[in-house]
Amino acid sequence: MPLYETVLIARNDISQQQVDAILDGIAAQIEADGGAVRKREYWGLHSLAYRIKKNRKGHYALLGLEARSELVKEIERQLALNEDVLRLMTLRVEEIDETPSPVLSRKGDDRGDRGGFRGPKQAGGRFESGRGRRSGGEDRSNAEQPADNAAAE
């Protein structure tokens, strides 16, 4: 049987349990037809890049499926009719990677770095970009040096 990966975005108004219920329904249909769900990940509630149906956030989920293509088309049709599902994308893949997706592995890494040591501060302070420098390209100490030498003569 062919392998597919499906990512869906559900409305932020529903709970995680309702998203799991949608995924359970998909899994039940596939297993009843003789297929299998090889991978199932809930990625969490994330901000959308742009508004979709007046929503700014959505629940993201990934499914790795082994199913007939006719069944996958029927599942896509049913999910498109479901008001709780904002977007859906299904791709046919050669193999389903059993390891956690990069979204899940990155999720744990981001939380540990916040508030920690971020490295040494750069020298020069706030105006390092050049806003606080004199025009003409010379430092003040170099500009005054020849005047001091002239006064000493």
Side-chain angles (χ1 to χ4, degrees):
M1 269 193 231
L3 302 174
Y4 297 92
E5 281 190 349
T6 299
V7 176
L8 65 91
I9 305 172
R11 292 183 315 139
N12 68 332
D13 300 347
I14 65 175
S15 66
Q16 183 179 348
Q17 289 78 20
Q18 290 171 307
V19 175
D20 287 336
I22 293 171
L23 299 178
D24 289 338
I26 295 170
Q29 280 184 311
I30 289 174
E31 290 169 0
D33 192 56
V37 177
R38 290 194 178 179
K39 187 175 190 177
R40 181 174 171 167
E41 293 181 356
Y42 174 74
W43 290 347
L45 185 66
H46 294 285
S47 296
L48 301 172
Y50 53 90
R51 283 188 184 180
I52 302 173
K53 298 180 184 176
K54 299 182 181 179
N55 289 288
R56 293 180 184 268
K57 291 188 174 195
H59 294 274
Y60 285 71
L62 170 75
L63 289 173
L65 310 173
E66 181 180 359
R68 295 181 306 113
S69 61
E70 296 84 18
L71 180 63
V72 172
K73 287 180 186 177
E74 175 62 19
I75 290 171
E76 284 183 326
R77 186 187 73 77
Q78 290 175 5
L79 288 174
L81 294 173
N82 189 341
E83 292 180 0
D84 291 334
V85 177
L86 298 175
R87 287 286 190 271
L88 170 75
M89 184 171 68
T90 302
L91 298 173
R92 185 171 178 172
V93 294
E94 294 296 321
E95 64 177 317
I96 296 175
D97 190 13
E98 299 293 330
T99 60
S101 64
V103 174
L104 281 184
S105 61
R106 182 185 56 171
K107 190 175 183 181
D109 295 344
D110 285 348
R111 301 291 178 206
D113 292 343
R114 292 187 181 171
F117 179 68
R118 297 184 185 202
K121 287 188 173 182
Q122 293 181 355
R126 181 173 149 192
F127 299 113
E128 188 61 30
S129 64
R131 288 184 359 199
R133 291 189 187 145
R134 294 175 142 259
S135 59
E138 294 183 26
D139 285 344
R140 187 174 194 151
S141 60
N142 290 344
E144 291 177 1
Q145 191 175 17
D148 290 339
N149 290 341
E153 292 178 6

